[in-house]
């Protein structure tokens, strides 16, 4: 993983929420060790989703996930995806900004490239760590090993899970140059993180994510997106690679339920539907799925 990403060290956990917790703790320790107290704020974006543990949920920028579970971890704030909003949220108290280059849970929204580059420069100048949450959009999903590669940036911390284990429970927090030695013995841990069974699955996944394979993913994504856009009732297709979202002329929960009855599994995200097929999907399988979707929307 370090060879493919340029990271220096990796901490293994069991899930995305766990490794996000690791990244947030690392960011706070980095800032405390360098600046002392009063600089512990973690900024996330509106529409984000970072997990279901309390710290990760506190950083999640969607109110619908917050019901019942407050009070939340202090100094976790949300902001719009523009630099002015980030500066207002920071108030010289921020240790990190966490982003998903493609926000999955809010409808598969890819962040604006100009904003991400501007954010990376802001973080560099102000010594605020940039964390990329690649739990959903990493591991080849967008046609790159990690989605941030589409944006021409290098984060300070990267978190990933889901696809990296090939179906086994595994998460990873990657530490880049600035953060390589932040955590020491006893600062963080995991009972089953990095266990040999899950890591055997991850080794297989990482070995298969070759340049040739990722080019195939990109080609499949272009095919799927073009076909999807031609279906009556599909509107506003968004996303990158094989991580696509769209609006429909019918209520999305009805569409998802009817598709499931006919053998096509879709996900919903607010008022949008999500398509996240296996990276090994074939064009024949895509055509079969699209035919089911076309029939449901036409019914």
């Amino acid at each position: 993983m370090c060879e493919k990403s340029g990271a220096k060290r990796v901490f293994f956990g069991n899930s995305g929420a766990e490794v996000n917790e690791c990244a947030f703790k690392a960011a706070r320790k980095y800032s405390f060790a360098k600046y002392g107290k009063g600089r512990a704020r973690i900024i996330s974006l509106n529409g984000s989703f970072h997990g279901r543990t309390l710290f990760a949920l506190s950083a999640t920028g969607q109110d619908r996930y917050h019901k019942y579970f407050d009070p939340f971890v202090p100094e976790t704030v949300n902001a719009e995806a523009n630099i002015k909003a980030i500066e207002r949220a920071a108030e010289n108290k921020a240790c990190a900004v966490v982003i998903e280059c493609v926000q999955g849970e809010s409808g598969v929204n890819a962040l604006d490239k100009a904003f991400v580059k501007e954010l990376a420069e802001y973080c560099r100048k102000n010594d605020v760590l940039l964390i990329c949450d690649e739990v959903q959009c990493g591991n080849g999903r967008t046609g790159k090993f990690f989605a941030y590669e589409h944006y021409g940036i290098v984060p300070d911390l990267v978190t990933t899970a889901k696809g990296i284990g090939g179906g086994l429970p595994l998460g990873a927090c990657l530490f880049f140059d600035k953060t390589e030695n932040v955590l020491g013995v006893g600062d963080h841990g995991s009972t089953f993180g990095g266990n040999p069974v899950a890591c055997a699955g991850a080794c297989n996944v990482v070995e298969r994510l070759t340049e040739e394979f990722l080019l195939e993913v990109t080609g499949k994504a272009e095919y799927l997106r073009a076909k999807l856009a031609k279906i009556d009732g599909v509107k506003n297709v968004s996303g990158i690679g094989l991580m696509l979202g769209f609006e429909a002329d019918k209520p999305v929960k009805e569409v998802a339920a009817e598709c499931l009855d006919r053998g096509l599994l879709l996900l919903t995200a607010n008022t949008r539907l999500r398509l996240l097929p296996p990276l090994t999907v074939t064009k024949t399988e895509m055509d079969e799925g699209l035919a089911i979707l076309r029939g449901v929307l036409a019914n």
Side-chain angles (χ1 to χ4, degrees):
M1 292 185 75
C2 288
E3 288 173 5
K4 287 180 180 289
S5 67
K8 301 299 183 182
R9 302 177 79 181
V10 184
F11 173 84
F12 290 110
N14 304 294
S15 66
E18 248 192 331
V19 293
N20 278 336
E21 296 264 340
C22 177
F24 298 161
K25 285 176 65 177
R28 284 190 168 178
K29 186 184 176 189
Y30 172 87
S31 186
F32 184 89
K34 200 167 183 179
Y35 301 101
K37 292 183 177 180
R39 202 173 181 272
R41 184 167 297 175
I42 292 172
I43 303 169
S44 59
L45 300 182
N46 291 343
S48 63
F49 182 83
H50 298 293
R52 299 180 188 276
T53 56
L54 195 58
F55 202 168
L57 191 64
S58 300
T60 290
Q62 296 190 68
D63 289 340
R64 66 193 179 107
Y65 290 110
H66 292 166
K67 189 177 180 181
Y68 309 122
F69 304 116
D70 60 330
F72 296 106
V73 177
E75 294 296 347
T76 49
V77 300
N78 311 128
E80 290 290 338
N82 65 74
I83 289 298
K84 293 296 183 184
I86 297 293
E87 290 174 341
R88 286 194 298 270
E91 297 181 319
N92 296 318
K93 297 178 181 179
C95 64
V97 179
V98 56
I99 63 172
E100 302 157 281
C101 288
V102 186
Q103 296 181 328
E105 296 295 325
S106 58
V108 193
N109 302 305
L111 297 183
D112 178 73
K113 288 188 176 182
F115 161 69
V116 173
K117 285 193 172 183
E118 196 175 5
L119 175 63
E121 181 61 16
Y122 167 84
C123 289
R124 186 190 66 80
K125 285 184 176 179
N126 293 278
D127 200 19
V128 173
L129 298 185
L130 179 58
I131 305 171
C132 282
D133 179 339
E134 297 264 352
V135 172
Q136 287 194 33
C137 56
N139 309 304
R141 172 58 55 187
T142 66
K144 300 282 189 182
F145 187 46
F146 288 127
Y148 72 78
E149 296 175 57
H150 292 283
Y151 290 78
I153 63 167
V154 178
D156 300 301
L157 292 158
V158 171
T159 59
T160 193
K162 295 193 192 301
I164 192 64
L168 294 170
L170 187 71
C173 181
L174 285 73
F175 296 76
F176 288 72
D177 292 330
K178 189 183 284 190
T179 59
E180 179 181 359
N181 296 309
V182 168
L183 295 183
V185 175
D187 284 336
H188 197 59
S190 174
T191 301
F192 297 110
N195 73 79
V197 176
C199 284
C203 285
N204 185 276
V205 169
V206 172
E207 287 169 2
R208 293 173 67 180
L209 291 176
T210 62
E211 186 174 346
E212 292 77 15
F213 181 85
L214 294 174
L215 285 172
E216 288 181 12
V217 171
T218 299
K220 292 173 184 179
E222 291 172 353
Y223 179 86
L224 178 58
R225 191 173 191 132
K227 291 278 189 177
L228 185 63
K230 292 179 181 178
I231 295 177
D232 290 338
V234 169
K235 301 179 294 184
N236 300 323
V237 179
S238 63
I240 305 176
L242 289 177
M243 185 175 182
L244 299 175
F246 61 94
E247 295 175 359
D249 284 341
K250 296 174 64 175
V252 293
K253 289 188 177 180
E254 290 182 17
V255 174
E258 290 183 38
C259 284
L260 184 59
D261 287 341
R262 301 186 188 195
L264 173 64
L265 180 62
L266 300 180
L267 292 172
T268 61
N270 291 330
T271 60
R272 297 170 63 80
L273 288 149
R274 287 187 285 171
L275 282 175
L276 295 99
L279 304 187
T280 53
V281 68
T282 65
K283 287 185 177 179
T284 299
E285 290 166 338
M286 286 190 281
D287 287 341
E288 291 174 1
L290 291 169
I292 292 171
L293 177 62
R294 187 180 296 108
V296 168
L297 292 176
N299 184 14

